[in-house]
């Protein structure tokens, strides 16, 4: 099936720093999604991208749908402690949603 | 409140003792799915259901069963649990398989001794 390669696996940053993570695939996706999983919770959708080249912002979060449709990145600006969690990229397969392995973000106050 | 509810949230059991993890959604979603989350592996799909009485295998279906007799419920059944099924399980639902937003339950942490 379609594989999503997400990097980095983990990040340790200082509060206030910017963060960037990305996701690549060998297959084309028509939609890219970014989810966040807070500790002890299920993942929640942060941003959805539906068009190649699209750049979408949601507060301090910015995500882009790569022009080749095989990659996407997520940026978080001016990180705060509540940004802690695991971030997953995702893309729809035939009858399922494919997920990357996740980027675990730790923010030090 | 729109939600996906899983039970139990935590369970410790022994090898071979059948168990069921229930999942219920109140959003009238047609699509429901089960995932397991293991460190470094992300979310892997176990089974999914496109609608009532329509279920199919995901990437890691071995050792699991599901049923979809009603639209709102999608239980996950482990007939004879083994230690390699120790994991964090998530149920999710959406209007369709490829419509974008999956709504997840809070997770069920299962330990099989």
């Amino acid at each position: 099936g379609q594989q999503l390669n997400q990097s980095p696996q983990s990040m340790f940053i200082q509060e206030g720093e910017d963060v960037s993570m990305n996701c690549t695939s060998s297959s084309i996706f028509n939609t890219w999604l970014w989810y966040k999983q807070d500790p002890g919770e299920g993942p929640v959708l942060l941003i959805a991208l539906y068009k190649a080249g699209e750049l979408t912002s949601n507060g301090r979060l910015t995500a882009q749908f790569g022009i080749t449709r095989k990659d996407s990145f997520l940026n978080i600006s001016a990180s705060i402690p509540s940004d802690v969690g695991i971030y997953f990229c995702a893309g729809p397969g035939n009858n399922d949603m494919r997920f990357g392995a996740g980027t675990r973000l730790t923010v030090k106050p | 409140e729109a939600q996906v509810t899983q039970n139990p949230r935590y369970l410790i059991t022994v090898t071979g003792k059948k168990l069921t993890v229930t999942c219920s959604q109140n959003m009238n979603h047609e699509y429901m799915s089960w995932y397991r989350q293991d460190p470094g592996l992300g979310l892997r799909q176990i089974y999914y259901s496109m609608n009532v009485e329509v279920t199919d295998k995901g990437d890691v279906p071995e050792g699991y069963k599901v049923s979809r007799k009603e639209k709102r419920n999608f239980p996950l059944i482990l007939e004879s649990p083994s230690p390699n099924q120790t994991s964090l399980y998530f149920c999710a639902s959406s209007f369709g398989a490829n419509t974008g937003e999956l709504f997840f339950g809070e997770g069920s942490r299962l330990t099989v001794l």
Side-chain angles (χ1 to χ4, degrees), chain A residues 81-96:
Chain A
S82 62
D83 289 334
V84 161
I86 304 176
Y87 292 80
F88 292 101
C89 62
N94 289 335
N95 291 307
D96 64 348

Side-chain angles (χ1 to χ4, degrees), chain B residues 96-107:
Chain B
N98 300 324
T99 55
E101 183 168 10
L102 273 173
F103 292 82
F104 283 84
E106 292 184 304

Side-chain angles (χ1 to χ4, degrees), chain A residues 35 37 93-96 98, chain B residues 31 37 45 59 90 98 100 102:
Chain A
Y35 285 80
Q37 183 181 21
N94 289 335
N95 291 307
D96 64 348
R98 298 264 131 195
Chain B
Y31 182 86
Q37 183 178 14
Q45 191 178 48
D59 292 326
F90 286 100
N98 300 324
L102 273 173

Side-chain angles (χ1 to χ4, degrees), chain A:
Chain A
Q2 295 160 304
Q3 300 294 326
L4 297 181
N5 301 305
Q6 190 172 348
S7 65
Q9 274 192 323
S10 60
M11 302 182 76
F12 296 82
I13 63 169
Q14 206 73 37
E15 183 177 357
E17 289 183 359
D18 296 344
V19 172
S20 185
M21 58 192 79
N22 69 78
C23 203
T24 61
S25 171
S26 57
S27 305
I28 288 173
F29 281 97
N30 293 318
T31 302
W32 280 95
L33 305 133
W34 286 92
Y35 285 80
K36 184 198 176 192
Q37 183 181 21
D38 287 326
E41 305 284 335
V44 173
L45 184 67
L46 292 175
I47 286 183
L49 302 153
Y50 298 105
K51 189 177 174 183
E54 180 182 354
L55 186 71
T56 295
S57 293
N58 180 4
R60 293 179 296 106
L61 275 60
T62 302
Q64 182 153 32
F65 191 147
I67 200 74
T68 65
R69 293 196 282 158
K70 291 184 178 181
D71 64 323
S72 176
F73 72 74
L74 175 70
N75 286 344
I76 305 172
S77 62
S79 59
I80 59 178
S82 62
D83 289 334
V84 161
I86 304 176
Y87 292 80
F88 292 101
C89 62
N94 289 335
N95 291 307
D96 64 348
M97 188 67 65
R98 298 264 131 195
F99 286 87
T103 295
R104 184 180 292 273
L105 179 63
T106 302
V107 180
K108 292 177 279 189

Side-chain angles (χ1 to χ4, degrees), chain B residues 24 41 62 80 106 113:
Chain B
S24 181
L41 297 177
E62 293 79 20
S80 182
E106 292 184 304
L113 302 175

Side-chain angles (χ1 to χ4, degrees), chain B residues 51-95:
Chain B
N51 213 326
V52 175
E53 301 292 3
V54 181
T55 64
D56 211 342
K57 296 176 181 178
D59 292 326
V60 288
E62 293 79 20
Y64 305 95
K65 285 174 56 177
V66 292
S67 69
R68 188 90 182 275
K69 293 185 171 55
E70 309 162 279
K71 198 171 189 178
R72 62 183 293 126
N73 295 324
F74 190 44
L76 179 70
I77 303 153
L78 286 72
E79 293 272 4
S80 182
S82 61
N84 65 12
Q85 292 178 296
T86 292
S87 187
L88 179 58
Y89 291 87
F90 286 100
C91 180
S93 72
S94 68
F95 284 109

